[in-house]
Amino acid sequence: MMDSQHSAASDTSAFGRSSAGPLSGIVIADFGRVLAGPYCTMLLADLGATVIKIESPSGDETRAWRPPTRGDDSTYFLSINRNKTSIKLDLRDPDDRRTAQRIAERADVVVENFKPGDLVRYGLDYDTVSATNKDVVYASITGFGTTGGAQLPGYDLLIQALSGLMDLTGAPDTEPFRSGIAVFDVITGLHACIGILAALRHRDRIGEGQLVEMNLMSSALSGMVNQTAAVVLGGVVPKRLGNEHPSIYPYEPFDTGDGKLVIAIGNDSQYRTFCAAIGRPELAVDPRFEKAPLRSANRTELRLLLLECLATRTAKEWFDILTEAKLPCAPIQDLRAGIEFAEKIGLEPVVTVGQGEDSQPGVRNPIRLSKTPVSYDLTPPDLDSGAELVRAWLGADEQLLAAAMAATSTPSHREEH
């Protein structure tokens, strides 16, 4: 169900989207900055949505996060802002503020990750926007929610520290480490996508919008799954184990004759196959190791026996032997090698974004749809490069809306029979 306002707003052909994707015609007003919000809106844009990226006069902070760069552009910014149209608006300026409000009034979805309450003064908070845009799906991303933690700055590194992730990351004899990526920004962005899609489905069924709220702290606690459950369900506080798994063994990198190989044995059947493949079948029936809980409890003894055996061949030789036995194992590679491996097995991880001379490589959206594939129409925008398009769309949209309202308000002269 869609009212005349969003019927008018759905004409987005001027924005250069060729997609017939599942979200084609959906307009997203993207007030997000840095990572969680922009990552969410890029995924939705890949699925066909038209995303209008509203930026401050200085632009999204990640435009300045360099090196590394591609030309003069931050690869950080480029990684999460394709398929979007940029307009620069100073919300402190009355005219720019009104333009931002008009975009929000016309949008199907609004995404923002300002501090709680910051957008109230600009008339861009949920209550104000939904008063004129009744069926808007308004997604708000914060660091710590809107109650006791509302005024805490919501940076991913802080969440990693406060949530307990850093305390879990590293070896028992090292200091805590952050993850190699802003993992909770990414998880929260994914949670935001799920919430937005669920709210759009509800709008299709019922005809009403709603507020969708996410915060990094809650996403962190959810995203740590079994580790969080150890506390909540088991009363146990997990500790740093380096590359070991708290519940499964062997499940870590092992030294071989010339390097490390990750071996991940997830069940008793795999363990028996593994023992046979490395030439130590007696370890499969050793009463200390034959069941998964026993292997976890006696991992120190088992590790010494496995290292003795694995030292007899190279990592490449063991990889070939264990892979032939259909056992999960992998060398530890850098990112370039990871991309090359994905190419080797046919995953096509690198796509072309945009057209012609201005096109550039990008990382494939991982979602594959058989009927409505994702698209990569637009390279990440220069700051304010879409301002004229957005203003023209607003003007045309208002004309369409006026015409639609006039048509619906014209009395019918058809006689009832």
Side-chain angles (χ1 to χ4, degrees):
M1 297 176 64
M2 205 179 275
D3 64 17
S4 59
Q5 174 173 301
H6 288 110
S7 297
S10 65
D11 182 10
T12 56
S13 56
F15 288 95
R17 299 312 313 275
S18 63
S19 172
L23 298 183
S24 179
I26 295 292
V27 176
I28 299 176
D30 182 6
F31 292 90
R33 301 126 55 215
V34 188
L35 181 51
Y39 182 63
C40 165
T41 54
M42 183 185 74
L43 296 179
L44 298 173
D46 290 348
L47 294 168
T50 293
V51 176
I52 300 172
K53 184 176 179 67
I54 296 96
E55 301 191 62
S56 71
S58 59
D60 190 312
E61 291 96 314
T62 59
R63 289 185 182 273
W65 288 8
R66 51 184 186 264
T69 61
R70 178 181 175 85
D72 293 328
D73 296 321
S74 158
T75 60
Y76 199 122
F77 175 84
L78 298 178
S79 71
I80 47 176
N81 283 290
R82 66 180 172 230
N83 283 332
K84 301 180 185 181
T85 300
S86 169
I87 182 170
K88 179 177 66 177
L89 296 173
D90 185 348
L91 299 182
R92 297 166 298 182
D93 178 84
D95 291 338
D96 280 4
R97 182 164 62 249
R98 181 56 194 146
T99 298
Q101 291 168 348
R102 289 166 63 203
I103 295 170
E105 288 168 0
R106 302 292 185 272
D108 299 281
V109 178
V110 173
V111 177
E112 62 89 9
N113 61 342
F114 283 71
K115 287 183 181 178
D118 275 10
L119 289 180
V120 173
R121 54 183 162 167
Y122 302 124
L124 289 166
D125 57 296
Y126 172 68
D127 288 341
T128 304
V129 171
S130 63
T132 54
N133 188 351
K134 299 291 186 184
D135 56 354
V136 69
V137 172
Y138 189 108
S140 179
I141 300 171
T142 62
F144 297 93
T146 58
T147 54
Q151 298 309 309
L152 296 175
Y155 287 89
D156 183 275
L157 181 57
L158 305 183
I159 310 296
Q160 290 196 35
L162 284 164
S163 67
L165 178 69
M166 285 183 66
D167 188 59
L168 290 174
T169 306
D173 58 350
T174 69
E175 62 180 315
F177 289 108
R178 66 178 288 270
S179 168
I181 62 167
V183 61
F184 293 139
D185 270 330
V186 172
I187 290 177
T188 307
L190 293 171
H191 288 166
C193 276
I194 295 168
I196 289 167
L197 293 174
L200 285 173
R201 172 60 176 151
H202 175 77
R203 193 182 78 171
D204 287 343
R205 292 175 53 247
I206 307 299
E208 64 181 6
Q210 61 184 299
L211 175 63
V212 181
E213 294 183 280
M214 284 74 47
N215 68 79
L216 272 68
M217 187 68 180
S218 293
S219 284
L221 296 176
S222 173
M224 287 188 288
V225 288
N226 59 300
Q227 300 283 38
T228 315
V231 178
V232 175
L233 299 174
V236 175
V237 179
K239 297 300 181 183
R240 288 192 297 282
L241 293 173
N243 289 314
E244 293 185 43
H245 193 287
S247 308
I248 309 171
Y249 198 84
Y251 198 96
E252 64 175 325
F254 287 88
D255 288 320
T256 67
D258 75 339
K260 291 184 181 293
L261 183 71
V262 170
I263 298 172
I265 303 302
N267 57 53
D268 293 339
S269 175
Q270 285 182 341
Y271 177 67
R272 289 191 292 271
T273 303
F274 171 67
C275 291
I278 64 173
R280 297 294 302 271
E282 73 278 7
L283 295 179
V285 294
D286 189 308
R288 296 172 295 172
F289 314 131
E290 59 182 345
K291 297 296 181 182
L294 294 171
R295 291 194 294 277
S296 288
N298 298 308
R299 63 180 63 197
T300 301
E301 297 95 318
L302 181 54
R303 180 187 293 109
L304 293 174
L305 296 169
L306 295 180
L307 288 173
E308 179 184 357
C309 179
L310 294 170
T312 61
R313 295 180 184 268
T314 67
K316 174 66 167 60
E317 289 173 327
W318 283 123
F319 177 71
D320 291 341
I321 290 170
L322 299 180
T323 300
E324 178 68 22
K326 296 182 171 52
L327 291 167
C329 62
I332 299 174
Q333 304 186 138
D334 64 17
L335 272 170
R336 185 187 300 277
I339 293 170
E340 291 171 350
F341 177 77
E343 290 172 339
K344 179 181 178 180
I345 63 174
L347 296 181
E348 301 175 330
V350 180
V351 296
T352 299
V353 180
Q355 308 292 327
E357 294 182 356
D358 294 330
S359 65
Q360 61 184 234
V363 178
R364 177 180 294 279
N365 186 309
I367 301 169
R368 295 197 182 223
L369 300 173
S370 64
K371 302 295 185 183
T372 52
V374 301
S375 60
Y376 310 96
D377 300 323
L378 305 175
T379 55
D382 293 335
L383 179 61
D384 206 39
S385 58
E388 291 186 11
L389 279 175
V390 175
R391 295 180 193 280
W393 169 74
L394 284 173
D397 185 62
E398 287 172 347
Q399 292 175 10
L400 287 170
L401 181 60
M405 293 179 66
T408 57
S409 63
T410 301
S412 172
H413 298 291
R414 184 179 65 182
E415 293 183 4
E416 298 290 332
H417 294 287

